[in-house]
């Protein structure tokens, strides 16, 4: 049997969401991953342990999120909303992950989203398609 690949979803920690924001979306990704022999777990940047090359995160098990330790995944889906404070605190850990040749990041961050939104909102052709 082929060894199961692993995808880590790196997300933002938020006090109003337990265990993390966008939980329904991550649940859906986890369920779809299982169908395609992809083990999916969710983690925060501060849970990366670079010196042990492991990550503490959450995996969906029988409908519940279980906290476990994982080796570095083959794939990372970066869903983090970076702030100056979070980059200062955890940016070095994320940078170290990106330098690891064995990990494929599925997306690149889009900087200054708010400024880009404000710029797009000024365009009469595009503004009707943007959230208020």
């Amino acid at each position: 049997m082929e060894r199961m690949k692993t995808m880590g979803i790196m997300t933002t920690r938020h006090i109003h969401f337990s265990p993390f924001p966008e939980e329904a979306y991550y649940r859906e990704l986890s369920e779809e991953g299982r169908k395609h022999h992809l083990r999916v777990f969710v983690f925060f940047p501060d849970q990366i342990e670079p010196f042990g090359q492991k990550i503490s995160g959450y995996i969906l098990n029988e409908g519940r999120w279980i906290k476990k330790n994982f080796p570095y995944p083959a794939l990372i889906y970066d869903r983090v909303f970076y702030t100056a404070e979070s980059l200062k605190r955890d940016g070095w850990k994320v940078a170290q992950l990106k330098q690891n040749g064995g990990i494929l990041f599925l997306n690149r961050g889009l900087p200054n989203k708010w400024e880009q939104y404000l710029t797009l909102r000024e365009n009469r052709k595009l503004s009707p398609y943007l959230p208020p």
Side-chain angles (χ1 to χ4, degrees):
M1 186 171 161
E2 187 179 325
R3 196 175 129 220
M4 187 178 280
K5 286 203 179 233
T6 304
M7 179 175 78
I9 302 171
M10 187 167 57
T11 190
T12 303
R13 189 180 298 276
H14 195 283
I15 60 170
H16 296 295
F17 297 97
S18 178
F20 31 76
E22 300 184 298
E23 188 269 339
Y25 178 53
Y26 301 151
R27 178 178 296 272
E28 186 178 334
L29 289 175
S30 294
E31 291 168 352
E32 285 299 314
R34 188 174 296 118
K35 292 177 189 176
H36 298 282
H37 307 287
L38 181 68
R39 182 172 66 167
V40 177
F41 70 94
V42 182
F43 68 99
F44 307 110
D46 65 355
Q47 293 177 303
I48 301 166
E49 298 178 28
F51 302 110
Q53 291 205 351
K54 64 182 178 178
I55 299 172
S56 177
Y58 299 87
I59 191 163
L60 191 62
N61 185 359
E62 297 181 10
R64 295 178 52 201
W65 294 103
I66 307 296
K67 190 171 186 179
K68 290 180 67 174
N69 287 324
F70 301 92
Y72 282 179
L75 309 166
I76 291 183
Y77 181 19
D78 186 350
R79 303 278 300 164
V80 176
F81 178 76
Y82 292 100
T83 63
E85 181 184 329
S86 69
L87 279 173
K88 185 176 182 180
R89 185 184 58 241
D90 302 315
W92 69 275
K93 293 179 181 182
V94 176
Q96 198 167 45
L97 275 182
K98 288 182 178 182
Q99 291 173 359
N100 184 315
I103 301 173
L104 174 64
F105 276 73
L106 300 177
N107 59 324
R108 300 212 191 295
L110 181 63
N112 303 317
K113 290 181 186 89
W114 182 246
E115 289 176 29
Q116 292 186 34
Y117 167 78
L118 293 175
T119 301
L120 292 172
R121 194 173 70 175
E122 292 174 9
N123 184 304
R124 284 183 283 147
K125 291 181 181 177
L126 295 176
S127 63
Y129 300 102
L130 298 173

